[in-house]
Amino acid sequence: MSKTETFRYVDEQFADIQLLRYQLPGWENLSLRQKEYIYYLSQATLAGRDIVTDQFGRYNLVIRRVLEEIYTRYTLQDESDKKDLKALKVYLKRVWFSNGIYHHYGCEKMQPEFSVDFWERAVRQVLADAKTWWGYDSVEMLLAELTPIIFRPDVLPKRVNSVDGEDLVLTSACNYYEGVTEAEAEAYYDEKKQQSGSRSPSWGLNSKLVSTENGLVEEVWHADGKYGEAIRPIISWLEKAQTVAENDKQVSIIDLLITYYRTGDLRVFDEYSIEWLKEQEGQVDFVNGFIEVYGDPLGLKASWEGIVEYKDLQATKRTQTISEHAQWFEDHSPVDKRFKKQVVKGVTANVVNAAMLGGDEYPSTAIGINLPNADWIRAEHGSKSVTIGNLIDAYNKAAANNGFKEEFVIDEPTLALLAEFGDACDDLHTDLHECLGHGSGQLLPGVSPDALKSYSSTIEEARADLFALYYLADEKMIELGLLDNKKAYQSQYYSYLMNGLLTQLTRIEPGKNIEEAHMRNRSLIAHWVLEQGDGAVELVQQDGKLFVRVNDYMTLRGLFARLLAEIQRIKSEGDFEAARILVEKYAVKVDADVHQEILERFKQLNLSPYKGFINPKLVAEWHEDGTLKDVIVDYTEAYDEQMLRYSREYGFLIS
């Protein structure tokens, strides 16, 4: 892209999804060695693609593979097939986006809009001369198993079930358990925790638990075990990255990660995590592994993800200011002193630019990351946080002047407030959430990190959000130069409550409850404040439409403090019943009339409720002697071209 060419942030739109592109600012200022380091790490990030697809459902890989065959090879037999073929192509794009047949956010199975008859005819055509049917003895056997999985709503309907009172393991289609009940899985891992003490590894993080005639067995994910065909290429690229790392610390960190991948030893993973969070000198960093547990109904097993990033040195000054004052924030938190850390250790934060996204971070990704997740590591060694600046910038650029705020914000003064301070407060909220919120507080002695079970993720995200909301209105923001106006925080308070009460409903299908942990968190906070606020915030009708109106912003801050204190207590004490009551009362149910109105208003804007990214393509150019000449950033690859290329080049679990 030339300097005079305008970067195109917005790409294609289909179903409920808008695809965006992100730039790599400052790429030209990186050294050749740094570019080579990023290139190898990016290859390792892409190499694990099939792992997360298989984790999200045992039939996902073969369904994706068959759909890709139809997408690239099907020949129309009749003009009437055009509509079905178009619908199948949209369905495949959704499968790519969600890493499987389940919606990436709601976890419900996506229903195809092409007919069963067309599907069966297309499969028979494109696989007639196939040399393999991916484990099936014939095309007919493949169809017999896959057709009901794709088309019948009652067959494996949810990837992650969160309905209170049901067996969450047996009723979830994620590929983390086989023939195991919720009670059996909990008992199995409870015994492991009891045997290993306070510094217990995150048991179950990197394995599938299977019931056999000899009892429960863990299929551990490592180089010579399950997913080994993908893990070995990851190791190979990590070994190349070691040769051009920025410092010796990075070399040793990668060595620990490789050892973990080869052995599957979770104690090695803890050792790697501790050393990873200590590395602060390099400009380039990465995450690669089994990290987040949102996809497991019990919150134990981690999906595979990867991201490569490099620091935005100018913007990082903001997050460093926050992390340097971490002890002050902890000391002044409105929670019981029993739940505060007496000494905050190792809190570091940076603003980074993503260079490559992979696994559960692609195409839909987080805008901030705080790791490691193990509570004992956070308590003894600290945490490392990043805010991903170029992704936030892409979201902001894509949303400019799209009419969304004009439709849902109550009046012109509030619109002006959001226009003036919204972006800055969004960034600061993310910084406070990731840098300090997740790392704040402590568990009481003897409390298990998994005590809140299926409610753990929602409670944890609410805790971090409330921490950020509370401090956004503090005079410390002005004192530290993070904000320059005492009313700036009001923009975040308004937009947060508008989202939690109204606009995030655009992501929910009619008649459905809220399932995803982050959405439940926002709903919990917003509805609790609405009920407890005594008029500080209310839902009002204006010109025949429903809006959020805030009447007292400082009262809201006090409410956020109260709820933060209670949620920190719940986490610190491991109070499962209190967590259950809070989440089920405020975070799950949807008002049908409000939902219908919001969906109708949103539809008129022709916007997509979900957004994700197309990766830039990094092209390595080599000298004749095999040394690197340059790494070129190509922003032109289309979404389907990228996904099909990834299937060809990184399809290690299914050829």
Side-chain angles (χ1 to χ4, degrees):
M1 187 181 70
S2 68
K3 292 183 179 180
T4 58
E5 195 176 348
T6 301
F7 186 80
R8 185 164 59 97
Y9 288 95
V10 178
D11 205 89
E12 70 173 297
Q13 186 173 346
F14 53 87
D16 57 358
I17 293 163
Q18 175 76 69
L19 287 168
L20 309 178
R21 295 182 185 272
Y22 60 96
Q23 286 186 287
L24 305 190
W27 180 261
E28 65 281 359
N29 298 324
L30 297 174
S31 70
L32 185 60
R33 186 183 180 95
Q34 287 173 319
K35 291 179 181 179
E36 187 171 5
Y37 187 40
I38 289 173
Y39 176 76
Y40 293 143
L41 291 174
S42 295
Q43 293 296 311
T45 294
L46 298 174
R49 177 181 186 242
D50 279 0
I51 296 176
V52 72
T53 302
D54 188 72
Q55 289 177 316
F56 284 2
R58 61 181 295 190
Y59 300 100
N60 281 339
L61 284 173
V62 67
I63 290 173
R64 189 193 76 195
R65 190 69 183 84
V66 174
L67 290 168
E68 288 172 345
E69 287 292 307
I70 298 172
Y71 189 90
T72 56
R73 296 179 54 212
Y74 180 73
T75 303
L76 283 172
Q77 302 298 302
D78 191 292
E79 286 298 305
S80 62
D81 285 349
K82 283 186 175 180
K83 182 178 180 181
D84 276 321
L85 182 59
K86 182 178 180 181
L88 181 139
K89 290 184 175 182
V90 170
Y91 181 75
L92 175 56
K93 290 179 179 182
R94 298 183 73 189
V95 169
W96 283 330
F97 192 90
S98 296
N99 289 297
I101 64 174
Y102 299 92
H103 195 278
H104 74 287
Y105 223 71
C107 294
E108 70 275 5
K109 187 162 67 175
M110 300 179 293
Q111 291 302 302
E113 296 184 3
F114 52 92
S115 68
V116 175
D117 178 66
F118 171 77
W119 154 257
E120 292 181 341
R121 285 189 288 109
V123 170
R124 291 188 180 103
Q125 181 196 110
V126 300
L127 297 185
D129 58 350
K131 296 179 180 179
T132 176
W133 298 291
W134 306 290
Y136 296 93
D137 292 335
S138 68
V139 173
E140 296 308 315
M141 290 185 68
L142 179 148
L143 283 171
E145 184 155 62
L146 297 189
T147 300
I149 291 166
I150 294 173
F151 288 94
R152 282 182 51 182
D154 60 328
V155 176
L156 302 176
K158 293 289 291 293
R159 175 166 66 88
V160 184
N161 185 22
S162 56
V163 176
D164 187 31
E166 297 184 3
D167 188 308
L168 301 183
V169 171
L170 289 179
T171 57
S172 294
C174 55
N175 196 17
Y176 294 131
Y177 305 93
E178 187 173 328
V180 181
T181 67
E182 180 178 350
E184 288 172 336
E186 289 180 342
Y188 181 87
Y189 289 113
D190 283 346
E191 183 177 354
K192 280 183 169 288
K193 293 170 195 171
Q194 290 171 8
Q195 293 174 351
S196 51
S198 61
R199 294 187 180 182
S200 172
S202 300
W203 294 119
L205 191 74
N206 65 336
S207 67
K208 179 177 179 178
L209 188 62
V210 179
S211 178
T212 72
E213 53 186 36
N214 296 318
L216 298 184
V217 174
E218 283 189 292
E219 296 179 351
V220 179
W221 308 324
H222 61 86
D224 296 319
K226 190 172 177 63
Y227 300 142
E229 295 89 346
I231 291 173
R232 290 190 293 274
I234 294 173
I235 291 173
S236 178
W237 286 111
L238 290 174
E239 288 173 334
K240 289 182 171 64
Q242 277 185 302
T243 66
V244 289
E246 294 176 286
N247 55 56
D248 291 340
K249 187 71 169 177
Q250 290 176 341
V251 173
S252 64
I253 288 166
I254 294 174
D255 201 54
L256 283 168
L257 180 57
I258 290 172
T259 300
Y260 164 63
Y261 271 139
R262 284 180 173 152
T263 64
D265 187 338
L266 285 168
R267 296 188 189 277
V268 175
F269 179 69
D270 284 347
E271 186 180 353
Y272 154 78
S273 299
I274 293 167
E275 294 306 308
W276 172 82
L277 72 87
K278 292 179 180 177
E279 201 290 299
Q280 299 293 330
E281 298 305 316
Q283 187 174 355
V284 179
D285 204 354
F286 72 100
V287 174
N288 188 297
F290 305 104
I291 307 296
E292 300 292 352
V293 297
Y294 299 109
D296 175 12
L298 299 186
L300 298 172
K301 301 186 176 298
S303 59
W304 189 91
E305 68 178 55
I307 181 171
V308 186
E309 65 208 31
Y310 57 98
K311 291 177 186 174
D312 181 331
L313 299 178
Q314 183 63 34
T316 288
K317 294 177 181 179
R318 181 183 76 235
T319 52
Q320 287 179 341
T321 297
I322 293 171
S323 59
E324 287 168 0
H325 292 82
Q327 189 67 60
W328 184 92
F329 286 100
E330 183 77 0
D331 292 344
H332 291 80
S333 174
V335 306
D336 191 301
K337 65 180 181 180
R338 295 177 300 147
F339 311 139
K340 295 181 183 181
K341 291 177 178 174
Q342 297 303 306
V343 179
V344 177
K345 300 178 182 178
V347 174
T348 58
N350 298 295
V351 178
V352 301
N353 295 308
M356 191 62 63
L357 308 172
D360 202 10
E361 287 291 334
Y362 167 83
S364 178
T365 186
I367 56 173
I369 298 170
N370 179 274
L371 293 171
N373 285 327
D375 283 291
W376 75 265
I377 295 179
R378 289 177 183 271
E380 294 186 20
H381 301 279
S383 63
K384 183 159 63 174
S385 303
V386 298
T387 300
I388 310 175
N390 60 337
L391 300 188
I392 294 173
D393 182 63
Y395 280 126
N396 291 341
K397 294 290 199 319
N401 304 314
N402 65 7
F404 179 83
K405 291 179 181 177
E406 288 76 8
E407 174 61 36
F408 290 105
V409 174
I410 190 168
D411 53 32
E412 289 297 329
T414 309
L415 274 170
L417 178 76
L418 268 61
E420 185 172 2
F421 304 115
D423 288 352
C425 285
D426 282 348
D427 289 347
L428 190 52
H429 182 273
T430 301
D431 294 340
L432 290 166
H433 173 112
E434 298 294 348
C435 303
L436 302 181
H438 281 308
S440 65
Q442 63 181 358
L443 301 180
L444 293 183
V447 174
S448 168
D450 304 314
L452 303 184
K453 301 179 182 179
S454 60
Y455 299 106
S456 177
S457 295
T458 297
I459 292 297
E460 175 58 23
E461 293 303 325
R463 193 175 71 91
D465 263 358
L466 286 162
F467 191 98
L469 289 167
Y470 175 74
Y471 276 116
L472 269 171
D474 200 284
E475 291 185 358
K476 196 72 171 180
M477 298 296 104
I478 306 296
E479 178 188 325
L480 295 177
L482 298 169
L483 293 174
D484 58 8
N485 188 296
K486 291 184 178 181
K487 293 184 178 181
Y489 76 93
Q490 296 177 5
S491 67
Q492 184 67 18
Y493 279 22
Y494 188 89
S495 61
Y496 192 94
L497 293 174
M498 182 180 75
N499 189 18
L501 294 170
L502 299 178
T503 54
Q504 75 169 4
L505 295 178
T506 60
R507 297 181 165 193
I508 305 293
E509 292 183 7
K512 301 287 187 180
N513 288 330
I514 300 173
E515 301 281 355
E516 199 275 335
H518 296 80
M519 292 180 69
R520 283 187 165 190
N521 141 49
R522 292 188 287 267
S523 179
L524 189 163
I525 293 171
H527 284 94
W528 186 92
V529 166
L530 180 67
E531 179 184 277
Q532 300 292 323
D534 195 25
V537 60
E538 56 185 336
L539 292 175
V540 299
Q541 288 285 338
Q542 185 169 291
D543 299 326
K545 296 179 180 180
L546 195 62
F547 292 93
V548 170
R549 181 165 67 198
V550 175
N551 298 313
D552 189 334
Y553 281 100
M554 285 312 298
T555 294
L556 286 182
R557 190 189 186 213
L559 291 165
F560 292 143
R562 278 176 52 198
L563 186 55
L564 173 58
E566 172 60 6
I567 282 186
Q568 182 64 63
R569 183 200 67 78
I570 288 171
K571 181 177 175 68
S572 294
E573 295 181 349
D575 190 342
F576 173 82
E577 186 60 19
R580 187 190 67 79
I581 292 171
L582 201 59
V583 172
E584 294 295 335
K585 181 176 181 180
Y586 296 104
V588 178
K589 302 299 181 183
V590 175
D591 183 298
D593 293 334
V594 172
H595 193 192
Q596 182 179 356
E597 178 191 326
I598 297 303
L599 290 176
E600 289 174 355
R601 289 164 63 184
F602 186 74
K603 185 177 180 180
Q604 301 303 313
L605 300 174
N606 194 33
L607 299 175
S608 298
Y610 299 101
K611 293 176 174 59
F613 291 96
I614 300 172
N615 277 326
K617 183 178 181 181
L618 300 184
V619 182
E621 296 182 345
W622 306 92
H623 292 291
E624 290 184 5
D625 63 0
T627 59
L628 185 69
K629 180 180 180 181
D630 201 0
V631 178
I632 306 301
V633 182
D634 179 359
Y635 297 110
T636 65
E637 189 171 38
Y639 176 62
D640 60 348
E641 292 174 342
Q642 183 161 106
M643 289 299 191
L644 290 169
R645 178 173 67 85
Y646 286 178
S647 292
R648 291 192 307 272
E649 296 180 3
Y650 310 104
F652 297 117
L653 301 184
I654 186 166
S655 59

